[in-house]
Amino acid sequence: KTLTRTDMMKLILALGFVTLACATAWYTGDEIVRVKLNKTDKTVHMKLVEKNGLAATHLFQKYDATENMYGSGSDIPLTDFSDAQYFGEITIGTPPQKFTVVFDTGSSNLWVPSSKCPLTQVSCDIHSKYKADKSSTYQANGTEIDFRYGSGEVLGYLSSDTVNMGGIDVPNQGFAEVTKEPGLAFLLGKFDGILGMGFKEIAVEAVLPVWYNMIAEKAISNQVFAFWLNKGSSDGGELTIGGVDEKHYTGDFTYVPVTRKGYWQFEMDGMAVGDMSFCNGGCAAIADSGTSTIAGPVEEIAALNKKIGATGVIETQCNLLIEEYGPQAIEALVEKVDTEAFCISIGQCDESGSENGFQCSVCKTVVDTAKKLAESHQSEKIVINQIEKVCAKLPSPMGESVVDCSKLDTLPLLDIQIGGSNFTLAPQDYILQIGVGEEKECLSGFIGLDIAPPMGPLWIMGDVFMRTYYTVFDYGNNQLGFAKST
């Protein structure tokens, strides 16, 4: 099927903004906190994303500032969460004030918008805000705090109050009241804040994570939590705290030790697609519930995507532009039509001429190349052939790639070796399918990300992996466990 420009923008943005979920939590009395995760309609959120032309920069923003990752605090990067799929409800204060938060194993702080957020902060206005003066258990702190993102800083100050998660009260829990949220990611987000489930070593201002305080309060005796992420259903899954749910996995767990406290980091033995191998000799990996893809070093991901027949979304969009407008563009350029004016006329740039996401940039690149070639008086066929070569060299933002949905059943298996066991992902597991019927598009679940030493290089095993394999975060034994999801 020929993709429209609108379809391509959806694909470009899909990695950064995929389906979101809400949750209901309860305490069963069996020392296991259960948080039910329910999916919402992804297309509603994606339309908002497309309308605002947001780019898929989540992973780069999360892992870019690595130099001070295990330092004292303020430079620690946190997730953009534009692609977070699963979130749920907690309460703060007495009487309880409800908030929807992302459960993220890639960060360790809790923060929610503050009622002290200025009126100019629209993203605060459309989300639930914590009102300190309405809580009898509020305790002031006032220490200024900031969480740094690629798109700006989330600013606020520390407070403490009773936090309830899954029916369990955690008194005197430190958290951040946020007074500034930058960018459209927070404006469009279906969540109010973030509840980090990483280790205390990466907590900004050394605020003890909620999870640690639940243990200190002896609210749970088994120091584990686990994610079951459902596939293709309105039932998004379940987060259990204090134990595992046997009905959500089959077979035995493979356990591997946490190799570095901060993120939930472990050693991955290797990875292979057919006769091509990756992570040779072993490599560091992270289990990250706040990332929807599998991310790895750019060079290896590029080779992996090529192996499964995926092409960059920008290259694909570029070729579609040639197919739809190539002859028209050459004819117009021979008549000396302005590059920007032409791109506006075919809807690739907005009326002011400013860039509308990546499509405007791609259009200008194609048109400028065509202009130079047209001026050399070469034939239309030669000009289009040369432009196609330019398209092939255009990098996709963050390495996103698409595949032909009709070939899904012929794609190879991906084998991941962890702890001496093999974990297989079928094409249906690692390809993200957007839409249905003729509108269905297929996006590679692999994305390139180079993380500098000493933290990197790293492979980030997000929801593409965790949906297929039930993942246990065992704090008590300092290990991670993986078993086949049901």
Side-chain angles (χ1 to χ4, degrees), residues 260-276:
R260 188 177 190 180
K261 290 185 177 181
Y263 298 127
W264 286 86
Q265 185 170 325
F266 62 97
E267 183 73 10
M268 186 163 67
D269 301 330
M271 182 183 294
V273 178
D275 59 357
M276 183 175 290

Side-chain angles (χ1 to χ4, degrees), residues 210-368:
V210 176
W211 163 247
Y212 279 72
N213 281 326
M214 291 180 79
I215 295 173
E217 290 294 318
K218 294 181 171 49
I220 52 175
S221 57
N222 193 10
Q223 299 176 14
V224 305
F225 59 89
F227 282 92
W228 172 65
L229 307 181
N230 201 4
K231 300 178 183 179
S233 169
S234 59
D235 181 5
E238 183 180 70
L239 163 64
T240 58
I241 303 175
V244 300
D245 193 328
E246 294 182 356
K247 70 175 180 289
H248 288 321
Y249 68 91
T250 182
D252 297 326
F253 280 99
T254 295
Y255 285 98
V256 289
V258 172
T259 55
R260 188 177 190 180
K261 290 185 177 181
Y263 298 127
W264 286 86
Q265 185 170 325
F266 62 97
E267 183 73 10
M268 186 163 67
D269 301 330
M271 182 183 294
V273 178
D275 59 357
M276 183 175 290
S277 61
F278 307 91
C279 177
N280 294 316
C283 55
I286 288 170
D288 186 354
S289 63
T291 296
S292 64
T293 61
I294 290 178
V298 170
E299 186 174 337
E300 292 193 85
I301 291 294
L304 196 161
N305 275 328
K306 183 176 181 180
K307 182 69 175 178
I308 65 172
T311 57
V313 290
I314 292 298
E315 178 185 351
T316 303
Q317 185 189 15
C318 187
N319 286 326
L320 286 171
L321 277 173
I322 296 170
E323 181 181 334
E324 292 186 40
Y325 301 109
Q328 182 182 347
I330 294 170
E331 181 180 348
L333 292 171
V334 169
E335 298 175 2
K336 307 298 183 183
V337 173
D338 179 71
T339 297
E340 193 170 274
F342 180 80
C343 289
I344 293 173
S345 72
I346 63 173
Q348 298 300 296
C349 297
D350 62 32
E351 293 182 359
S352 67
S354 62
E355 293 191 4
N356 181 18
F358 297 106
Q359 58 189 37
C360 186
S361 296
V362 173
C363 181
K364 288 180 178 179
T365 299
V366 170
V367 174
D368 284 338

Side-chain angles (χ1 to χ4, degrees), residues 4 6 15-16 29 89 113 116 142 144 158 176 181 183 231 240 247 254 288 300 343 377 381 420 430 439 462 485:
T4 65
T6 298
L15 281 180
E89 188 177 277
K116 300 297 177 64
E144 293 185 353
L158 294 179
E181 298 178 353
K231 300 178 183 179
T240 58
K247 70 175 180 289
T254 295
D288 186 354
E300 292 193 85
C343 289
H377 305 291
K381 183 177 180 180
Y430 65 71
E439 296 300 318
S485 290

Side-chain angles (χ1 to χ4, degrees), residues 97-112:
Q97 302 175 37
K98 293 182 180 180
F99 298 92
T100 299
V101 296
V102 172
F103 298 116
D104 176 52
T105 59
S107 66
S108 298
N109 287 82
L110 167 62
W111 65 260
V112 295

Side-chain angles (χ1 to χ4, degrees), residues 12-13 16-17 53-58 82 358 397 400:
I12 291 170
L13 300 168
F17 293 86
L54 299 179
T57 57
H58 154 64
S82 54
F358 297 106
E400 307 96 321

